Amino acid sequence: MNADEDDDITEELLADSEKLTGLSLELLGLDPHPDDMTAEQRLQFDPEDLAEMATESPGERERSVRQTRLLAGLLWNSSSILIDQLFRDLGTLHELETVTPEAIAGTSVLSSLPPQFASSYDAKFTQRFIVVASDVTASLARGWTAPGCLAGELAVRCLLDQARITEDIYELDLPEEWRTIVEEVLLEDADSETLYADGAGEADTAVEHSPGNLDVRHWFQPFAPGGAVPPYACS
């Protein structure tokens, strides 16, 4: 990769940041600056905190804003790549006679899902997962709402995995610990991380989650009756 290619992707992502209207830059980790606050907003902070926020130099502030905008654009860009690659995975599955863990390990997105359930990631599962992933990524534009099922939480994790890949390829100048920050916003109180722990999914270690547990059979069930899960995914 040369410098021109790096500049091209950076400018593309900065432009894409304007499309990510479902999350504010503050939710993505940008600290507020007193000069950008209304009088009412400043009343929410102690004078000492306001003074500390104001110590950031114009140059530092400009870099912080640029880094966070770059992160916003990366999430938007990665959401499109995620869906494209899921369709590619679906095409791969249609060519298989039998779904095996080895075959899933060679896919683009399904390989990021908990490996102990790999034999269940067939074409029907992938179609349902695409619908959920599309719904989750749409929240980046319409206004963020927490995923309504475990599959939705896993789709967010796959999205962040894709963002990490793009970051590594282009060596993007992003905020430190950006993934931790984003996970705290998008996956607050999420149980899906448990699926990646050793022994997760085994009958004697399954973790209860209303209305089911963490077994793959329950991934598309709404967390609560009437939860926001697309009808196709629930079928």
Side-chain angles (χ1 to χ4, degrees):
M1 181 188 67
N2 58 43
D4 289 340
E5 290 174 337
D6 191 17
D7 289 342
D8 287 343
I9 189 65
T10 297
E11 293 308 313
E12 178 183 340
L13 295 180
L14 289 173
D16 283 343
S17 70
E18 302 298 327
K19 304 172 185 175
L20 192 126
T21 54
L23 292 168
S24 67
L25 296 184
E26 287 73 22
L27 282 176
L28 293 178
L30 182 65
D31 292 329
H33 192 283
D35 291 346
D36 300 329
M37 299 179 191
T38 65
E40 290 183 354
Q41 289 173 328
R42 284 194 290 272
L43 289 174
Q44 300 175 23
F45 296 90
D46 294 331
E48 295 80 4
D49 293 333
L50 290 172
E52 183 176 352
M53 294 175 186
T55 60
E56 187 177 38
S57 70
E60 292 171 334
R61 180 65 177 175
E62 181 178 352
R63 183 178 181 226
S64 295
V65 172
R66 180 181 174 85
Q67 286 181 319
T68 311
R69 286 186 58 215
L70 192 61
L71 173 57
L74 175 63
L75 293 176
W76 182 269
N77 179 272
S78 299
S79 68
S80 295
I81 296 175
L82 174 68
I83 302 303
D84 276 341
Q85 292 189 338
L86 277 169
F87 277 116
R88 186 176 297 116
D89 286 352
L90 180 60
T92 298
L93 291 173
H94 283 311
E95 297 174 356
L96 299 176
E97 291 185 6
T98 305
V99 177
T100 64
E102 292 75 19
I104 295 301
T107 59
S108 298
V109 177
L110 299 178
S111 57
S112 292
L113 296 176
Q116 66 271 34
F117 299 107
S119 59
S120 298
Y121 303 154
D122 57 11
K124 177 62 176 178
F125 170 93
T126 304
Q127 289 169 186
R128 297 168 76 190
F129 194 72
I130 289 172
V131 171
V132 168
S134 298
D135 185 57
V136 166
T137 56
S139 289
L140 297 176
R142 68 181 176 227
W144 183 255
T145 53
C149 62
L150 280 169
E153 292 183 2
L154 291 168
V156 172
R157 296 189 185 280
C158 290
L159 169 65
L160 299 184
D161 287 344
Q162 177 56 54
R164 179 72 79 186
I165 291 171
T166 302
E167 176 196 22
D168 291 342
I169 292 173
Y170 294 102
E171 299 179 354
L172 300 174
D173 181 25
L174 296 176
E176 292 185 12
E177 305 297 331
W178 68 264
R179 177 158 186 160
T180 299
I181 294 170
V182 174
E183 283 188 357
E184 288 178 352
V185 174
L186 305 189
L187 293 172
E188 184 179 8
D189 299 326
D191 280 343
S192 51
E193 184 176 3
T194 309
L195 288 165
Y196 294 93
D198 292 340
E202 296 176 2
D204 58 345
T205 59
V207 178
E208 293 301 318
H209 192 314
S210 178
N213 58 34
L214 298 184
D215 188 271
V216 66
R217 295 170 298 173
H218 304 284
W219 287 5
F220 297 96
Q221 291 180 356
F223 288 145
V229 179
Y232 180 85
C234 295
S235 62

